Amino acid sequence: PSERARSLGAAVEVDIAGLPPGSMLTVEWRGKPVWIVRRTPEMLQSLQGLEAQLADPASAKDQQPDYARNTHRSIQPEVFVAIGICTHLGCSPTAVAPGAPQSGLGAGWPGGFFCPCHGSTFDNAGRVYRNKPAPTNLEVPPHRFLSATRLLIGEDSASA
Ligand code: FES
């Protein structure tokens, strides 16, 4: 797309063939960072049993397209797509692995995302923990798979 189309928010095509399990790729869409995480079985397992600790475990609030309104908040469980901007005041959360004692999140931390600005925490599906400054889960942008290894960010079959 032309520079002008880009600035207006053209969809962005991403090749995820080379993205190893447990890794994250960041692309820019509409001037925002969009994360693409290839989750491992352990990361998916970490989403189980957190309901009581989360503010919106079933994604009732409108922070994702309908196809991402599920426990893993994605089309394919392994591939998580989210806008990497904290829903509190817009800082960039960072991925923090399980345990990670240096993070200060405690030994029981199951892995997810931490926003250093005011301490909001999110699980591996971007679901915000209760009693944190961030009011909602991380936003999942419209997206779809063009093939097994190519994603289109910013457009889905509903809006295409
Ligand atoms: S901006 Fe993330 S906790 Fe405030």
Side-chain angles (χ1 to χ4, degrees), residues 8 29 32 34 36 39 45 66 76 79 82 84 87 91 98 107 115 124-125 129 134 136 140 142 155 160:
L8 290 176
W29 172 67
K32 299 173 185 167
V34 174
I36 301 154
R39 289 181 291 208
Q45 184 60 38
D66 281 348
Q76 290 179 6
V79 181
T87 53
C91 286
C115 183
N124 275 316
Y129 279 80
T136 57
V140 176
E155 208 177 275

Side-chain angles (χ1 to χ4, degrees), residues 85-93 115-122 132-134:
I85 296 180
C86 182
T87 53
H88 180 220
L89 293 176
C91 286
S92 274
C115 183
C117 292
H118 317 93
S120 292
T121 44
F122 305 85
K132 298 292 179 180

Side-chain angles (χ1 to χ4, degrees), residues 40-122:
T40 60
E42 293 74 23
M43 290 164 90
L44 287 169
Q45 184 60 38
S46 77
L47 303 177
Q48 306 299 323
L50 293 178
E51 287 77 6
Q53 300 173 56
L54 302 172
D56 183 12
S59 294
K61 287 191 185 160
D62 215 7
Q63 286 292 93
Q64 63 286 306
D66 281 348
Y67 46 79
R69 187 168 272 148
N70 47 47
T71 310
H72 42 85
R73 303 188 74 229
S74 60
I75 299 172
Q76 290 179 6
E78 296 77 19
V79 181
F80 178 52
V81 178
I83 295 179
I85 296 180
C86 182
T87 53
H88 180 220
L89 293 176
C91 286
S92 274
T94 46
V96 183
Q102 74 283 7
S103 71
L105 293 172
W109 172 247
F113 305 96
F114 172 65
C115 183
C117 292
H118 317 93
S120 292
T121 44
F122 305 85

